């Protein structure tokens, strides 16, 4: 079972052939050749025929999922690849709880 699908190719004729083959075997609905958003992914079409796909709302969902982060100050911080982060066992107890699996799952999609 496939609910949603995008078929991309370098040639419209080749894409049309694939769609026709699918039509022979499956009941499909062709939404057309231009789209700006697909399952939460924004798609910008560039003049040179290429496109850019991105998820502008995903990071906001991640921030909302972590209690207290919506009002946090934004800073660009370059992450060091040579430092391993560990828990501060002498630091204050964490006050907020958040859905770790949800946040990490969303982050992996970003």
């Amino acid at each position: 079972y496939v609910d949603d699908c995008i078929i991309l190719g370098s040639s419209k004729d080749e894409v049309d052939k694939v769609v026709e083959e699918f039509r022979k075997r499956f009941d499909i609905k062709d939404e057309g050749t231009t789209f700006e958003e697909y399952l939460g992914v924004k798609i910008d079409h560039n003049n040179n025929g290429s496109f850019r796909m991105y998820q502008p709302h995903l990071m906001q969902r991640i921030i909302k999922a972590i209690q207290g982060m919506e009002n946090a100050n934004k800073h660009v911080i370059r992450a060091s690849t040579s430092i391993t982060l560990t828990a501060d066992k002498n630091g204050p107890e964490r006050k907020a709880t958040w859905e770790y699996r949800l946040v990490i799952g969303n982050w992996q999609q970003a």
Side-chain angles (χ1 to χ4, degrees), residues 67 92-97:
Q67 185 178 5
E93 188 174 326
R94 184 177 58 177
K95 295 178 183 174
T97 60

Side-chain angles (χ1 to χ4, degrees), residues 64-69 93-100 103:
K64 278 184 170 185
I66 303 173
Q67 185 178 5
M69 287 299 294
E93 188 174 326
R94 184 177 58 177
K95 295 178 183 174
T97 60
W98 47 283
E99 297 292 329
Y100 178 82
V103 171

Side-chain angles (χ1 to χ4, degrees), residues 32-92:
T33 59
T34 59
F35 46 90
E36 295 175 1
E37 186 172 349
Y38 179 76
L39 298 177
V41 177
K42 296 280 188 182
I43 302 164
D44 290 341
H45 299 267
N46 300 319
N47 292 334
N48 66 0
S50 66
F51 54 90
R52 175 180 171 239
M53 298 172 70
Y54 57 103
Q55 294 178 292
H57 304 290
L58 181 59
M59 292 310 294
Q60 192 59 36
R61 272 195 356 227
I62 292 170
I63 290 169
K64 278 184 170 185
I66 303 173
Q67 185 178 5
M69 287 299 294
E70 286 187 90
N71 298 320
N73 294 325
K74 298 176 184 177
H75 295 282
V76 175
I77 300 173
R78 305 235 185 273
S80 172
T81 58
S82 62
I83 297 173
T84 301
L85 299 178
T86 59
D88 181 2
K89 295 182 179 177
N90 297 319

